[in-house]
Amino acid sequence: KQEQAYVRDEFGKILERERISSNEHLTRAILRERAATEEERQKAQRFAKQLEEKDRELKKHDAYYKEQLARLEERSAQFYKVTTEQYQKAADEVSARFK
């Protein structure tokens, strides 16, 4: 009976050490997973911030190019108007000379 009690105690100790070891492994795995999750969250935040910056930059460029396009269209309209007026004036002068 003493031997059986001794074996049971030793077996219990072994099981307790295994349980503790298993809990330690599980705790380390959970901590690693939490750290990886936090790192992924931070990486996602950095990517979101970069995306917002790119979006602002694209909007800024879009506004700049729209402004440039409007200026070019205005200049083109002015050039067309001046050219048309000069053409009409020249045509009237030619017409007046050769009537």
Side-chain angles (χ1 to χ4, degrees):
K1 285 188 174 187
Q2 279 182 333
E3 232 179 84
Q4 285 179 349
Y6 176 76
V7 169
R8 248 186 267 134
D9 286 344
E10 287 300 312
F11 188 65
K13 289 177 185 178
I14 292 171
L15 285 176
E16 183 64 21
R17 282 193 298 260
E18 286 295 319
R19 186 185 64 75
I20 290 170
S21 175
S22 186
N23 283 342
E24 288 174 358
H25 288 292
L26 182 60
T27 302
R28 278 186 253 141
I30 289 171
L31 291 175
R32 277 193 308 270
E33 198 58 38
R34 284 181 184 167
T37 301
E38 179 63 20
E39 186 178 323
E40 286 296 320
R41 186 186 65 76
Q42 290 175 353
K43 187 186 283 187
Q45 285 179 337
R46 283 193 307 271
F47 285 146
K49 188 179 275 190
Q50 288 174 351
L51 184 60
E52 288 172 4
E53 288 176 22
K54 288 286 184 184
D55 191 44
R56 280 193 299 273
E57 188 176 319
L58 286 173
K59 286 179 181 179
K60 181 180 171 183
H61 285 229
D62 187 49
Y64 172 78
Y65 288 119
K66 283 181 181 180
E67 181 183 325
Q68 293 299 316
L69 180 62
R71 285 182 185 174
L72 288 172
E73 287 174 345
E74 183 180 335
R75 286 182 187 169
S76 177
Q78 290 173 351
F79 182 73
Y80 178 77
K81 181 181 175 186
V82 168
T83 304
T84 304
E85 289 172 355
Q86 289 175 347
Y87 175 80
Q88 190 62 44
K89 184 178 177 182
D92 290 344
E93 286 177 7
V94 168
S95 180
R97 281 189 189 168
F98 297 103
K99 273 192 176 181

